[in-house]
């Protein structure tokens, strides 16, 4: 900033009668003009719809009673509990496994390992969101390759129903979230020098203790930030529960889907969405308080 | 991995190593197997999805290219994704410029709201838009879907272009101005010129994101707007049609090529597969 300042000073001397701002920063007015289209987008396509969601959810028939009514239905509570629990399981698995994978990507010296790990992160992404679920369905179906393997090895003597179960949904969500967890973690791990571990080991720490005392404290904030993001995205998954969990999967998203398209019940779909949104917001606020905005937006941006 | 080892390892530490290796192997198989299997099965001529296939051929690809349903869906995907990507660039690039290079207030909230669609639970956001679109009679319209998709893909443009701007020294504009260029000319001639690769990369990414989006199309498309992901979703709901193996394989090629182009354009020396 000071370098820019002195340069600006020098430039002032050269300035001719024309009034001009010698700075690479645009004025607040120009900035506001540049940002106007985005602000319009945000107002019309983000804030207004969310406000409308709240107004429908708390409108007729019972006002706020609609929302509290949601928590009175035991079926609703069960669905909410399963959704949050499964999302939490998915988050823990994705971030824990993701951290190990990201650390190996950072430290491995074998090109083949690195190459395979990167291929594993990228190839599913290239396949497309719906095709991924299709591919998992092909693998998990009763005559699928997993069942064939289980029978061949002798673990099972007849095909196990895996598709259209909660297991399939959790597996599918991990399949999609793992690369999502790895990439930001890898970006943050790259700032950690692997020699720290060697240094700790040279001072007599075991490998695990060395990792615990050097890498973990440095990495923990970014791990938690990426867990927050993974959880928020998991909670909102629609395609996975519907396609891998089947029509009756007890997930909020399938619930909303059928409320809207099978029963045309906009009010119920809105209330359910609002509850889901509030759960996600609570998580974000907690993360903001404990981790700060900087780390969270870094986890989003990479 | 064994070089630089400074002391002998206890057996349980070796077990941890083994576990880490096994985990790596499992993750690689878990993530790659579905994709590889789909590619292999796309060359099967069987009517079921048995593995290994009993007959080989290009039957799935023939079925795909002879189907009006799938070809129409691909067309619709372009009709939605191209305008969406362009709209994202037109709105997102100036916004990134404002966020990085201007003195407007409230950058924090603007940034947070701009990238919010990325992390909002998808289904909740889709229902929120649905409630608005019902009132505005935008359900099942192309402009409606394009607008919604633009909001969803906007974060990618904002994030990538802002990152690109941070890599361009601000002093360059000052130099141009000290040589007599107006602010406008310095912006166009220096900053935007240097930013062009980032803009192109972010627009491509917005295109890819939209091309692959199924949730908003399902909620807001009203059954009339059938893009490729939406068509696939409808098909998979009814069962596992082998023709999708061909779609998935071709999509891997298509998206792979676009991804490669995007990384080339951004060219920040970040070659994951290199050393």
């Amino acid at each position: 900033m000071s370098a820019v300042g002195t340069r600006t000073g020098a430039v002032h001397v050269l300035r001719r009668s024309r009034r001009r701002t010698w700075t690479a920063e645009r004025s607040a007015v120009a900035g506001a003009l540049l940002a106007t289209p985005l602000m319009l987008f945000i107002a019309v396509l983000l804030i207004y719809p969310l406000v409308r969601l709240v107004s429908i959810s708390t409108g007729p028939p019972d006002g706020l009673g609609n929302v509290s009514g949601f928590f009175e239905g035991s079926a609703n509570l069960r669905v909410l509990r399963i959704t949050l629990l499964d999302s939490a399981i998915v988050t823990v698995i994705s971030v824990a496994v993701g951290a190990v994978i990201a650390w190996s990507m950072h430290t491995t010296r074998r090109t083949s390992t690195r190459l395979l790990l990167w291929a594993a992160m990228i190839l599913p992404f290239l396949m497309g969101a719906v095709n991924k679920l299709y591919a998992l369905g092909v693998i998990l179906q009763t005559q699928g390759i997993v069942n064939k393997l289980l029978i061949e090895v002798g673990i099972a003597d007849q095909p196990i129903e895996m598709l259209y179960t909660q297991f399939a949904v959790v597996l599918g969500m991990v399949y999609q979230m793992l690369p999502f967890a790895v990439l930001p973690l890898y970006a943050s791990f790259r700032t950690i020098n692997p020699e720290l571990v060697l240094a700790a080991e040279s001072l007599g720490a075991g490998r695990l203790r060395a990792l615990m005392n050097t890498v973990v404290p440095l990495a923990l904030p970014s791990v938690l930030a990426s867990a927050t993001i993974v959880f928020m995205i998991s909670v909102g998954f629609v395609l996975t529960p519907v396609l891998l969990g089947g029509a009756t999967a007890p997930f909020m998203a399938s619930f909303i889907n059928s409320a809207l398209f099978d029963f045309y019940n906009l009010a119920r779909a809105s209330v359910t969405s609002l509850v889901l949104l509030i759960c996600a917001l609570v998580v974000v606020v907690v993360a903001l308080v404990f981790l700060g905005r900087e780390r969270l937006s870094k986890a989003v941006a990479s | 991995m064994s070089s630089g080892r400074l002391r002998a390892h206890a057996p349980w530490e070796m077990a941890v190593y083994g576990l880490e290796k096994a985990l790596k192997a499992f993750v690689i198989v878990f993530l790659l197997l579905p994709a590889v299997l789909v590619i292999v099965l796309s060359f099967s001529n069987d009517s079921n999805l048995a593995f290994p296939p009993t007959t080989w051929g290009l039957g799935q690809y023939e079925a795909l290219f002879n189907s009006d349903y799938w070809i129409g869906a691909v067309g619709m995907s372009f009709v939605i994704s191209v305008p969406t990507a362009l709209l994202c660039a037109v709105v997102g690039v100036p916004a990134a410029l404002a966020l990085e290079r201007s003195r407007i207030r409230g950058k924090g909230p603007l940034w947070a709201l701009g990238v919010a669609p990325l992390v909002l639970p998808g289904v909740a956001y889709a229902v929120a838009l649905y409630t608005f679109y019902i009132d505005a009679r935008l359900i099942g319209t192309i402009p409606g879907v394009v607008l919604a998709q633009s909001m969803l893909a906007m974060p990618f443009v904002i994030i990538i272009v802002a990152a690109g701007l941070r890599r361009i020294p601000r002093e360059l504009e000052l130099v141009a101005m000290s040589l007599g260029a107006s602010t406008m000319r310095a912006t166009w001639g220096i900053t935007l010129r240097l930013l062009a690769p980032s803009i192109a990369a972010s627009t491509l990414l917005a295109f890819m994101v939209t091309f692959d989006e199924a949730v908003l199309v399902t909620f807001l498309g009203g059954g009339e707007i059938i893009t490729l992901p939406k068509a696939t979703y409808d098909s998979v709901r009814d069962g596992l049609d082998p023709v999708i193996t061909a779609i998935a394989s071709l999509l891997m090629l298509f998206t792979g090529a676009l991804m490669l182009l995007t990384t080339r354009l951004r060219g920040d020396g970040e070659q994951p597969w290199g050393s």
Side-chain angles (χ1 to χ4, degrees):
Chain A
M1 203 53 213
S2 68
V4 176
T6 47
R7 221 172 275 201
T8 314
V11 154
H12 266 292
V13 183
L14 294 171
R15 193 159 70 171
R16 284 168 299 191
S17 57
R18 259 187 300 164
R19 285 199 65 80
R20 188 189 277 173
T21 47
W22 292 94
T23 159
E25 290 249 289
R26 270 140 209 88
S27 67
V29 177
L33 274 176
L34 286 170
T36 302
L38 179 66
M39 290 190 221
L40 278 176
F41 259 74
I42 290 173
V44 177
L45 290 164
L46 185 67
I47 295 176
Y48 180 73
L50 290 173
V51 170
R52 189 83 187 97
L53 182 75
V54 174
S55 80
I56 287 189
S57 307
T58 55
D62 293 328
L64 273 174
N66 297 334
V67 182
S68 58
F70 177 89
F71 291 99
E72 276 152 28
S74 63
N76 296 348
L77 283 179
R78 178 170 164 266
V79 170
L80 180 63
R81 202 178 54 231
I82 290 175
T83 304
L84 295 180
L85 187 69
D86 282 0
S87 299
I89 293 172
V90 168
T91 306
V92 170
I93 296 176
S94 305
V95 174
V97 175
V100 175
I101 298 298
W103 185 250
S104 338
M105 279 167 127
H106 179 42
T107 54
T108 187
R109 298 199 194 104
R110 294 240 300 266
T111 318
S112 59
T113 311
R114 202 203 323 264
L115 218 70
L116 269 174
L117 284 173
W118 273 106
M121 292 305 128
I122 292 168
L123 204 60
F125 171 75
L126 298 184
M127 201 167 23
V130 186
N131 293 326
K132 263 188 242 179
L133 300 172
Y134 168 83
L136 283 171
V138 170
I139 283 189
L140 293 177
Q141 63 177 325
T142 7
Q143 320 91 316
I145 191 165
V146 172
N147 263 319
K148 243 182 193 168
L149 213 70
L150 288 178
I151 292 171
E152 206 114 301
V153 177
I155 296 173
D157 41 356
Q158 59 187 33
I160 304 170
E161 291 287 342
M162 282 181 283
L163 195 52
Y164 309 127
T165 62
Q166 261 197 66
F167 166 75
V169 177
V170 170
L171 194 78
M173 281 161 77
V174 170
Y175 183 70
Q176 290 164 87
M177 292 321 296
L178 199 51
F180 250 94
V182 169
L183 295 179
L185 286 175
Y186 174 71
S188 108
F189 286 178
R190 273 164 50 127
T191 61
I192 302 173
N193 190 338
E195 282 175 11
L196 280 177
V197 182
L198 285 181
E201 283 182 29
S202 78
L203 294 172
R207 165 91 169 176
L208 260 193
R209 195 160 148 229
L211 276 173
M212 276 301 189
N213 287 345
T214 58
V215 176
V216 172
L218 287 171
L220 198 61
S222 56
V223 169
L224 292 177
S226 88
T228 310
I229 307 297
V230 170
F231 183 80
M232 284 191 69
I233 297 177
S234 301
V235 163
F237 269 7
V238 202
L239 307 176
T240 316
V242 173
L243 293 185
L244 296 181
T248 56
F251 280 89
M252 295 285 271
S254 331
F255 213 60
I256 292 166
N257 204 43
S258 78
L260 211 52
F261 296 115
D262 299 337
F263 302 105
Y264 304 103
N265 191 336
L266 185 58
R268 203 172 77 192
S270 307
V271 171
T272 316
S273 303
L274 188 64
V275 171
L276 206 56
L277 204 59
I278 292 169
C279 294
L281 281 181
V282 169
V283 174
V284 163
V285 169
V286 171
L288 275 176
V289 170
F290 284 101
L291 299 169
R293 210 181 64 206
E294 190 78 357
R295 290 211 180 88
L296 217 55
S297 59
K298 241 185 217 151
V300 178
S302 47
Chain B
M1 276 310 272
S2 60
S3 66
R5 208 55 61 251
L6 291 154
R7 63 191 206 49
H9 288 277
W12 66 271
E13 283 197 314
M14 295 315 285
V16 172
Y17 277 133
L19 219 62
E20 192 198 327
K21 276 225 168 94
L23 187 68
K24 258 191 278 187
F26 179 77
V27 165
I28 290 171
V29 171
F30 173 54
L31 289 180
L32 287 182
L33 181 70
V36 172
L37 196 73
V38 158
I39 296 175
V40 172
L41 286 175
S42 75
F43 295 107
S44 150
N45 263 6
D46 302 348
S47 56
N48 60 2
L49 287 158
F51 186 87
T54 48
T55 53
W56 300 87
L58 293 173
Q60 310 306 346
Y61 293 90
E62 266 167 43
L64 171 63
F65 286 108
N66 287 329
S67 151
D68 290 340
Y69 177 71
W70 292 112
I71 297 301
V74 172
M76 183 54 94
S77 279
F78 278 98
V79 166
I80 297 291
S81 310
V82 173
T84 299
L86 295 177
L87 195 56
C88 283
V90 167
V91 176
V93 173
L97 214 55
L99 282 166
E100 284 296 319
R101 296 276 176 97
S102 89
R103 281 188 295 253
I104 50 163
R105 286 156 171 274
K107 282 183 189 172
L110 188 61
W111 176 269
L113 287 169
V115 300
L118 211 55
V119 285
L120 275 181
V123 66
Y125 185 45
V127 173
L129 277 170
Y130 186 83
T131 59
F132 164 46
Y133 272 30
I134 290 245
D135 300 343
R137 297 181 187 281
L138 282 170
I139 298 278
T141 64
I142 289 175
V145 174
V146 166
L147 281 171
Q149 298 282 17
S150 305
M151 191 69 235
L152 195 64
M154 196 74 72
F156 294 95
V157 174
I158 297 175
I159 288 169
I160 291 179
V161 174
L165 270 169
R166 263 176 252 134
R167 288 206 306 266
I168 300 172
R170 287 161 179 247
E171 285 80 5
L172 287 181
E173 272 187 30
L174 288 175
V175 170
M177 285 191 261
S178 77
L179 294 172
S182 63
T183 313
M184 197 61 155
R185 176 119 189 267
T187 307
W188 277 105
I190 306 292
T191 304
L192 282 182
R193 199 128 149 233
L194 291 172
L195 201 58
S198 296
I199 296 174
S202 69
T203 312
L204 265 177
L205 194 62
F207 172 84
M208 280 191 271
V209 168
T210 311
F211 202 84
D212 191 41
E213 211 284 334
V215 179
L216 286 186
V217 180
T218 305
F219 277 80
L220 308 175
E224 290 118 60
I225 309 254
I226 304 200
T227 59
L228 188 57
K230 162 77 169 137
T232 316
Y233 173 70
D234 288 344
S235 162
V236 179
R237 276 181 85 156
D238 293 337
L240 301 167
D241 186 343
V243 79
I244 294 173
T245 56
I247 297 172
S249 304
L250 290 176
L251 206 64
M252 272 184 250
L253 272 181
F254 179 60
T255 327
L258 288 182
M259 269 289 274
L260 214 60
L261 193 58
T262 317
T263 356
R264 271 284 161 79
L265 282 168
R266 290 189 73 188
D268 41 17
E270 231 179 282
Q271 245 115 39
W273 32 81
S275 133

